[in-house]
Amino acid sequence: MTLLKRGLSRRRVLQTGMAGIIGTGVMPAIFTKGAWAQEFCNNPTGDTVTFGLNLPLTGAYAEEGADEQKAYELAVQHLNGEGDGGLINVLTPTALKGNGILGKKVAFVTSDSQTKSDVARAGATRMIERDGAIMVTGGSSSGEAIAVQGLCQELGVIFMAGLTHSNDTTGKDKRRYGFRHFFNAYQSGIGLGPVLGQEYGTDRRAYHLTADYTWGWTQEESMKAATEALGWETVEAVRTPLGAGDFSQFLTPVLNSGADVLILNHYGNDMVNSLTQAVQFGMRDRQANGKNFEIVVPLFSELMAKGAGANIKGIFGTSNWHWNLQDPGTVAFTKSFGAAYGAPPSQAAHTAYVQALLYADACERAGTFYPPEVIKALEGHEFDGMGNGPTLYRAEDHQCMKNILVVQGNDNPTSEYDVLNIVQEVDREVVTYDPAIFGGDLGPAEPAPLC
């Protein structure tokens, strides 16, 4: 039974104050000596624990959200001892036993975030307060991630972020209760910049089209820094609304701008649409400043590449992971996911699955669901076997530090899934940076009294 169901919500505590609580004759265990380690938001007292899956099942990033849901469902099966065990068999070190978490079976509830931050926050609130979610995870938008991890900090529920690439998620908007496995925009710039210089030279003029929210802003900033360090000039940077669909009004000015590179800081269906329309405008067939006009997509996935079809051929970008890597973790996950769903997993699916296992493993290592102890188990934790090489969950900002990939659209695909080539696996040490450069404050680990 959750604390909300006991009739004493956190909001009521804040409204009535201590005097109001005493006046009711109710003295919750949270105020008694030594109760902190036992009484916390959604402390599981039954034989199950519930994950809250907050996913964009509609909206611009819906395809990513659908793949994440498949991965979470697979992770829950594996945690409960069903199927082939997947990455539980290769994670090192591991405390997972395939019998749930601390002997409790894992269940889940799902909410459609619609790729909207306010809807994501409302959905997470419902899953915590109504459904008793012990942990919230998911999202394919940094706007969603930042909104939900802020809520989770307030309520004392751990948030294991899904696909979020903004520097702000583990920068100025980082929170003690939020953890990110996915890499960030700054790391994309570090990895992609040298490849662009080698392929396209150092005398280029770039035009940016940028999704107008936290991810797009930091992706644009990071790509400007990376390309201007090469000697490129930034001609213009134009913000576009999320889910615009028709980008023609934003693409027309590019043709007369003097730019010879278009950088699309778009993701999901927005990237598929803007890239397709740019190709229809003839941008891949034209010349500018005596050079072939080029298009760059700093972040893209297998799902986006598949959706863009032939338009993605030769396009450079970065990815968090790819199913065709040959390490034991990737092989195990691709096999499990493919057997379950008949297709290889996307990077969104991979990071979702991994986050579910990492939370469960942290609870097992901590020997409790009490969030401050689970946070301690995650902070500074080194692990391997999950598909990205040796990985550190950095204590200072809760950013996973690991290898990332520079990828390129495959010119000669052999199947509908053979859409990306790995150009370079960029070592973790190369993309490691000082967490202080993005500021922010993690905040306290002690949870709010009630949720």
Side-chain angles (χ1 to χ4, degrees), residues 10-88:
R10 178 173 179 269
R11 290 186 179 86
R12 183 175 167 192
V13 171
L14 295 175
Q15 289 167 357
T16 63
M18 179 67 78
I21 295 170
I22 295 174
T24 66
V26 176
M27 180 59 71
I30 195 68
F31 296 112
T32 64
K33 182 178 179 182
W36 275 109
Q38 289 76 42
E39 197 63 271
F40 54 90
C41 184
N42 296 333
N43 183 8
T45 57
D47 57 3
T48 63
V49 291
T50 301
F51 288 177
L53 310 183
N54 209 18
L55 303 166
L57 301 177
T58 56
Y61 298 168
E63 192 170 15
E64 310 284 327
D67 224 39
E68 285 182 301
Q69 181 166 354
K70 293 175 183 176
Y72 284 126
E73 292 180 3
L74 188 64
V76 168
Q77 290 174 23
H78 290 167
L79 288 171
N80 287 335
E82 302 167 13
D84 63 8
L87 289 175
I88 292 176

Side-chain angles (χ1 to χ4, degrees), residues 11-197:
R11 290 186 179 86
R12 183 175 167 192
V13 171
L14 295 175
Q15 289 167 357
T16 63
M18 179 67 78
I21 295 170
I22 295 174
T24 66
V26 176
M27 180 59 71
I30 195 68
F31 296 112
T32 64
K33 182 178 179 182
W36 275 109
Q38 289 76 42
E39 197 63 271
F40 54 90
C41 184
N42 296 333
N43 183 8
T45 57
D47 57 3
T48 63
V49 291
T50 301
F51 288 177
L53 310 183
N54 209 18
L55 303 166
L57 301 177
T58 56
Y61 298 168
E63 192 170 15
E64 310 284 327
D67 224 39
E68 285 182 301
Q69 181 166 354
K70 293 175 183 176
Y72 284 126
E73 292 180 3
L74 188 64
V76 168
Q77 290 174 23
H78 290 167
L79 288 171
N80 287 335
E82 302 167 13
D84 63 8
L87 289 175
I88 292 176
N89 300 318
V90 291
L91 172 63
T92 56
T94 183
L96 295 174
K97 306 176 183 68
N99 63 345
I101 307 175
L102 298 175
K104 297 178 184 290
K105 289 291 185 181
V106 182
F108 65 88
V109 291
T110 303
S111 179
D112 178 10
S113 69
Q114 303 174 29
T115 323
K116 297 176 181 177
S117 300
D118 57 343
V119 177
R121 184 179 170 101
T125 302
R126 282 194 307 274
M127 290 189 291
I128 293 169
E129 295 188 340
R130 181 190 68 191
D131 302 314
I134 189 71
M135 181 271 284
V136 175
T137 185
S140 291
S141 153
S142 293
E144 294 176 67
I146 289 169
V148 173
Q149 78 175 2
L151 170 76
C152 287
Q153 180 73 31
E154 295 170 19
L155 299 185
V157 173
I158 289 176
F159 175 59
M160 302 296 285
L163 198 160
T164 167
H165 192 239
S166 172
N167 297 332
D168 294 343
T169 307
T170 47
K172 72 179 185 65
D173 295 312
K174 64 192 173 193
R175 294 292 183 268
R176 184 74 61 182
Y177 278 71
F179 291 85
R180 170 163 62 177
H181 173 263
F182 208 75
F183 71 138
N184 63 28
Y186 184 77
Q187 293 172 313
S188 282
I190 293 172
L192 188 55
V195 173
L196 295 180

